[in-house]
Amino acid sequence: MSSGGGRKKKGGHEEHEEHVNHERWLVSYADMLTLLFVLFVVLFSMSSVDQKKFAELASGLSEGFGAQSAAFSGSAATLDGSGNSTSVVPIDPGANPGDGGSGTANMSQKDKQAVEAALRAEARSKASKDAEAATKEAKNLKQVEEKVTDALVKAKLRDQVKFTINERGLVITVITNDVVFNGNRADLQAGGEKILDAVAPALAKLPNNIEVDGHTNQLKATTTYYPSGWELSAARASTVVRFLTGHGLSKDRMSAVGFSDTKPLINPKDPRSVTMNRRVDIVVLTRLTAEQAALLPAAAGNDSKLHAGATTAEAAAEQTTGTTTSTTHD
């Protein structure tokens, strides 16, 4: 049997190999041409601009953005190839969008004055709002002071506490004499507990955060139970915080800080400083911004200085008297 040559069919006839088609490449070539044609048709269709629809789109964008730009004016000059303007808009290299004070090089003097007037008006408006917020906050803090004083008067402890309204908020100063803390100790005495019992209810209802600051006087006495005045002042502040959190104030509103003798209430040369500078300050922290809080002392007037608290009744009587006096002068 032979492995080469053609095979034989029955009857002795020879079977020839199938004829090979050498023109199959034409099919692939035709497919490629078809795809290229489709590609160029798509590209051509994409390059054709419907002027009417583009004008409608441009008009809508112009109205939406409030711009009068030539690009959105619906003008077809540039699209038609007739745009021949070569002018360049000069840009101020010092321009800083948003600062309101630059980019005015090409403005007329009148326009510059108008911009400056607008900026001054905006600054006055902001200053007025800040002053109004500070005045309102000072009034609210004064009402807190009155409620605390009411409770202190009822407990016959009015002389043990002083008040100040400053940029931090309302400062309630408790003089830490032997009624509050024993010398060199941070254990709260019964008298101190009575004072804090009177203060706590008024503070518990406030949304403000509370900071308790511990202070020592400037005497160079040795702190028997603590390494220095830093630890002693911080321990006393922490004791007050712990007491207040046990009487209705939440922990996440409280903080304790020790200042040792670095922030005297009165001049250390004053004989009263031995007692007055040894104190604990309970600070009702303001919720104003820093700029508004800076105006609090001015808004508080005489209450920005260390003073004895006025009761609610006394404050109402004083306000009535002031109103009457003002009316009489009118």
Side-chain angles (χ1 to χ4, degrees):
M1 294 179 64
S2 173
S3 60
R7 292 177 297 174
K8 292 184 179 181
K9 292 184 180 180
K10 293 181 181 180
H13 295 288
E14 183 179 355
E15 182 181 356
H16 296 282
E17 292 183 357
E18 183 179 356
H19 178 70
V20 178
N21 186 357
H22 295 288
E23 297 179 353
R24 288 181 56 87
W25 62 273
L26 289 173
V27 177
S28 299
Y29 180 71
D31 290 342
M32 182 183 69
L33 289 179
T34 302
L35 291 174
L36 286 174
F37 176 75
V38 171
L39 173 63
F40 284 111
V41 169
V42 172
L43 291 176
F44 177 77
S45 65
M46 291 174 62
S47 66
S48 299
V49 179
D50 189 326
Q51 298 291 336
K52 183 177 179 181
K53 290 184 178 180
F54 182 81
E56 292 175 356
L57 173 63
S59 176
L61 290 174
S62 179
E63 293 177 1
F65 288 102
Q68 299 299 325
S69 171
F72 295 118
S73 64
S75 174
T78 303
L79 293 175
D80 290 340
S82 59
N84 54 5
S85 174
T86 59
S87 62
V88 178
V89 179
I91 299 176
D92 183 359
N96 182 13
D99 66 0
S102 60
T104 59
N106 295 325
M107 286 186 178
S108 65
Q109 187 62 28
K110 183 178 180 180
D111 289 341
K112 289 181 180 180
Q113 291 175 352
V115 170
E116 292 172 358
L119 291 174
R120 287 195 296 269
E122 183 180 359
R124 286 195 299 269
S125 176
K126 184 179 184 304
S128 177
K129 291 179 181 178
D130 289 347
E132 183 180 352
T135 301
K136 183 178 180 181
E137 180 75 347
K139 182 178 180 180
N140 292 338
L141 294 174
K142 185 65 178 178
Q143 291 175 349
V144 176
E145 174 191 311
E146 293 164 6
K147 292 179 181 179
V148 171
T149 304
D150 288 342
L152 291 170
V153 169
K154 187 176 181 180
K156 298 180 180 180
L157 294 168
R158 184 173 189 169
D159 295 337
Q160 301 295 323
V161 176
K162 302 294 182 182
F163 299 89
T164 311
I165 295 177
N166 59 25
E167 63 278 0
R168 299 175 66 198
L170 174 65
V171 182
I172 305 170
T173 298
V174 181
I175 307 302
T176 59
N177 52 33
D178 291 339
V179 174
V180 182
F181 292 107
N182 278 332
N184 292 332
R185 300 298 295 264
D187 301 322
L188 197 61
Q189 299 292 92
E193 291 183 355
K194 288 182 66 177
I195 295 173
L196 297 180
D197 270 333
V199 171
L203 302 182
K205 300 176 183 179
L206 300 176
N208 307 65
N209 290 334
I210 308 294
E211 178 179 301
V212 180
D213 300 337
H215 303 269
T216 60
N217 57 30
Q218 285 70 45
L219 294 179
K220 302 302 180 182
T222 304
T223 52
T224 307
Y225 303 99
Y226 295 91
S228 70
W230 291 103
E231 288 82 4
L232 176 59
S233 61
R236 285 175 173 171
S238 298
T239 298
V240 173
V241 166
R242 188 167 64 251
F243 182 92
L244 293 176
T245 55
H247 289 73
L249 280 77
S250 59
K251 292 181 179 180
D252 58 356
R253 292 175 52 201
M254 305 294 298
S255 59
V257 183
F259 287 102
S260 187
D261 59 355
T262 61
K263 294 184 179 294
L265 185 63
I266 61 176
N267 193 322
K269 296 180 180 179
D270 191 317
R272 298 174 300 163
S273 66
V274 175
T275 302
M276 296 292 291
N277 290 339
R278 181 174 175 256
R279 70 195 191 278
V280 169
D281 289 336
I282 302 172
V283 187
V284 180
L285 297 173
T286 181
R287 305 177 75 189
L288 297 178
T289 65
E291 292 180 350
Q292 294 169 342
L295 302 176
L296 267 178
N302 290 332
D303 290 327
S304 63
K305 302 176 182 178
L306 190 68
H307 62 279
T311 63
T312 304
E314 291 170 347
E318 183 180 353
Q319 186 175 4
T320 302
T321 304
T323 304
T324 303
T325 303
S326 177
T327 305
T328 303
H329 283 298
D330 289 340

